[in-house]
């Protein structure tokens, strides 16, 4: 409580958005108190390495930090470990489960999402886990021993990245995906097929159209997994990667508008005065189409945090950054930029490498509105970056130009 001073800028959720927004508030000139409240005991950190370098040992947890204790001190950011149980927009205050409460001048909801859990018998067994937090990665990393059988449930990005990391550690890997293809509708079928072939080449037993029915403890250490089809599997560890549910419960409890996430406007303001939301939890108007979208990406967290912070201070910043997502698997990279779904024409651009693919999407005006692609990082990274810049700059081009390898993407930037 701060009876005699101006209320604090309060951020609920000390994750990617929370950490970046706290820093941005200070950088933008806020001299009052900044209180960052998070359920995890760790200071804010980046999550992408958790399924990649942190599991293989190529990256330490310290290298993932967004805020260190020293940086908090230097920026005078107060970090509270605790769970906010209610927000009170009329009173402009928040309550925590430990009885504490705090008034705010502006509030940012940066609560991210909860890993979905499997609703089948035995899903609470100790060998079954999700991968969302540093604590999850700390639990998983030592289980990826050479020869261990790792079973992944879900053929989305997290499952695929863990599969690649587990193979790098010498594990036997089985991946179960209920749908007939990998990665749902996040990428075109051609990209999904290439990634499927990549994993099979690397020795992953990918089974499509199959899900676990039940987990059963055995006499030994292994877990028996009963499947919807085929013989049961024996696993040493199971990682469930079936997506997240946006953590909207506080907003819902306070009567804020919720659709597929907490609904915010172009300024990332919610339906309650002085309350903002950003990151995985927010549904915002697409800068390209104005249609509501929600993104679960590093780039979205990184860029929305700053806009939210400026608007918490009374600014009138619109969120304008176009979407961007990447995934690293083995020596490959996969990227999606902009919004391919807005395209009416899809153009495949030859890259001179049988494994690589680059698709560009044009809307009815001939504007490049989306990009998807994958392939060996050394082959695709530069072209994907250029293509992403074309989307960001709203460049117009013809399908013929994009399909012609003689027309360099760089030349379209300056045209
Ligand atoms: C393993 C993994 C790998 C990823 N890899 C990639 C990648 O390769 N590329 C990419 O673009 N994106 C990737 N992402 C996605 C990216 O990390 C997220 O989009 C980003 O972390 C979202 O940031 P956020 O701040 O919205 O949510 P989070 O970082 O999840 O932070 C939310 C925080 O809020 C806290 N919280 C929730 N409710 C409360 C409450 N009531 N009280 C207090 N605290 C609360 C949570 O404990 C959490 O710490 C990955 C994510 C994961 C998990």
């Amino acid at each position: 409580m701060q009876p005699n001073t101006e209320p604090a800028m309060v951020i609920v959720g000390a994750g990617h958005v929370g950490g970046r927004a706290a820093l941005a508030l200070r950088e933008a000139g806020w001299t009052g108190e900044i209180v960052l409240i998070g359920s995890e005991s760790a200071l804010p950190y980046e999550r992408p390495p958790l399924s990649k370098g942190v599991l293989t040992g190529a990256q330490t947890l310290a290298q993932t930090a967004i805020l260190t204790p020293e940086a908090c001190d230097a920026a005078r950011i107060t970090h509270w470990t605790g769970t906010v149980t209610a927000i009170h927009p009329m009173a402009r205050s928040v309550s925590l489960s430990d009885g504490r409460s705090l008034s705010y001048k502006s509030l940012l909801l940066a609560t991210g999402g909860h890993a979905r859990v499997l609703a089948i018998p035995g899903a609470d067994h100790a060998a079954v886990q999700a991968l969302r937090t540093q604590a999850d990665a700390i639990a998983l990393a030592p289980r990826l021993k050479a020869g261990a059988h790792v079973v992944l449930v879900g053929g989305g990005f997290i499952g695929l990245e863990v599969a690649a990391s587990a193979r790098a550690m010498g594990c036997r890997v089985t991946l179960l995906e209920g749908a007939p293809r990998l990665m749902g509708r996040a990428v075109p079928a051609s990209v999904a097929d290439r990634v499927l072939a990549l994993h099979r080449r690397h020795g992953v037993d990918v089974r499509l159209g199959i899900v676990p029915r039940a987990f059963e403890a055995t006499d030994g250490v292994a877990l028996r997994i009963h499947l919807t089809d085929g013989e049961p599997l024996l696993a040493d560890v199971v990682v469930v990667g079936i997506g997240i549910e946006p953590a909207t419960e506080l907003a819902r409890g306070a009567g804020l508008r919720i659709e597929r996430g907490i609904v915010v406007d172009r300024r990332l303001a919610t339906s309650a005065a002085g309350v903002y939301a950003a990151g995985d939890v927010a549904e915002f108007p697409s800068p390209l189409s104005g249609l509501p979208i929600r993104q679960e990406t590093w780039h979205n967290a990184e860029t929305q945090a700053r806009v939210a912070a400026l608007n918490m201070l009374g600014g009138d910043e619109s969120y304008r950054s176009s979407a961007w997502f990447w995934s690293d698997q083995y020596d490959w990279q996969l990227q999606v930029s902009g919004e391919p779904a807005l395209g009416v024409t899809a153009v495949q651009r030859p890259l001179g490498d049988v494994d690589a693919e680059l698709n560009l999407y044009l809307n009815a005006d001939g504007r490049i509105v989306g990009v998807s692609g994958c392939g060996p990082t050394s082959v695709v990274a530069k072209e994907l970056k250029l293509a992403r810049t074309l989307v960001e700059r709203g460049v117009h081009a013809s399908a013929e130009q994009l399909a012609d390898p003689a027309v360099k993407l760089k030349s379209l930037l300056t045209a």
Side-chain angles (χ1 to χ4, degrees):
M1 295 275 230
Q2 309 164 300
N4 301 320
T5 58
E6 192 168 22
M9 290 290 168
V10 174
I11 302 171
V12 181
H16 193 138
V17 169
R20 287 275 175 244
L23 287 167
L25 283 166
R26 194 58 85 210
E27 280 157 16
W30 173 250
T31 55
E33 205 177 353
I34 300 171
V35 183
L36 178 59
I37 310 172
S39 313
E40 292 182 68
S41 54
L43 280 166
Y45 57 89
E46 300 200 5
R47 292 178 204 272
L50 298 184
S51 47
K52 310 174 185 79
V54 168
L55 294 183
T56 59
Q59 259 175 298
T60 62
L61 289 177
Q63 288 170 327
T64 69
I66 289 174
L67 273 178
T68 58
E70 297 73 32
C72 276
D73 285 349
R76 289 184 298 112
I77 296 166
T78 307
H79 176 237
W80 286 9
T81 301
T83 297
V84 173
T85 46
I87 61 173
H88 314 286
M90 298 302 283
R92 291 206 174 213
S93 68
V94 302
S95 313
L96 280 77
S97 60
D98 57 14
R100 283 182 286 183
S101 65
L102 183 68
S103 299
Y104 62 78
K105 184 169 171 63
S106 297
L107 173 69
L108 175 59
L109 296 175
T111 47
H114 307 294
R116 279 197 198 114
V117 290
L118 272 178
I120 60 171
D124 57 350
H125 190 280
V128 181
Q129 70 158 95
L131 179 56
R132 178 76 194 169
T133 63
Q134 227 177 48
D136 292 335
I138 291 169
L140 179 60
R143 292 168 141 181
L144 301 184
K145 293 193 182 77
H149 186 202
V150 179
V151 174
L152 301 156
V153 180
F157 296 106
I158 303 279
L160 292 167
E161 289 182 357
V162 176
S165 299
R167 286 300 294 142
M169 300 309 287
C171 303
R172 277 195 305 126
V173 179
T174 304
L175 185 143
L176 307 172
E177 166 55 56
R181 54 171 277 198
L182 298 173
M183 294 176 283
R185 285 166 42 190
V187 298
S190 51
V191 169
D193 287 347
R194 285 178 195 274
V195 172
L196 173 64
L198 171 75
H199 280 270
R200 285 186 170 153
R201 276 202 303 279
H202 279 271
V204 178
D205 178 4
V206 182
R207 304 193 192 180
L208 300 174
I210 296 179
V211 292
R213 247 182 335 104
F215 299 110
E216 184 195 347
T218 62
D219 295 343
V221 284
L223 187 67
R224 183 174 290 113
I225 310 177
H226 298 278
L227 305 173
T228 48
D229 192 19
E231 290 295 306
L233 294 171
L234 279 181
D236 296 296
V237 54
V238 177
V239 181
V240 179
I242 53 172
I244 63 162
E245 290 296 338
T248 54
E249 54 276 6
L250 290 176
R252 193 179 297 281
L256 272 57
R257 205 174 141 219
I258 316 276
E259 294 290 342
R260 285 172 301 170
I262 304 172
V263 176
V264 294
D265 64 12
R266 62 170 180 85
R267 297 177 59 246
L268 307 180
T270 70
S271 55
V275 183
Y276 298 79
D280 285 10
V281 78
E283 184 186 83
F284 58 98
S286 151
L288 272 174
S289 70
L291 296 170
I293 56 171
R294 197 172 64 76
Q295 296 271 305
E296 295 169 9
T297 68
W298 179 95
H299 176 78
N300 186 59
E302 184 80 8
T303 50
Q304 286 196 339
R306 192 182 150 275
V307 172
L310 294 177
N311 290 332
M312 287 169 80
L313 298 173
D316 185 27
E317 290 280 319
S318 292
Y319 183 66
R320 289 208 190 87
S321 193
S322 63
W324 177 58
F325 171 83
W326 89 95
S327 173
D328 294 318
Q329 297 166 34
Y330 311 103
D331 58 344
W332 272 40
Q333 189 160 89
L334 183 155
Q335 289 193 25
V336 180
S337 315
E339 291 176 64
L342 298 176
V344 292
T345 310
V347 185
Q348 221 180 77
R349 184 174 166 84
L351 288 179
D353 181 296
V354 284
D355 276 336
E357 175 171 328
L358 175 61
N359 306 294
L360 296 110
Y361 304 85
L362 296 169
N363 71 7
D365 301 332
R367 177 178 170 172
I368 306 168
V369 288
V371 172
S372 67
C374 68
T377 308
S378 57
V379 176
V380 293
K382 201 168 149 224
E383 286 289 278
L384 282 166
K385 188 158 186 245
L386 279 170
R388 178 183 165 204
T389 312
L390 293 174
V391 175
E392 285 169 351
R393 301 224 186 135
V395 168
H396 289 66
S398 69
E400 292 70 29
Q401 283 177 309
L402 297 177
D404 183 354
V407 178
K408 301 285 173 226
L409 292 183
K410 205 169 176 181
S411 71
L412 298 174
L413 273 177
T414 47

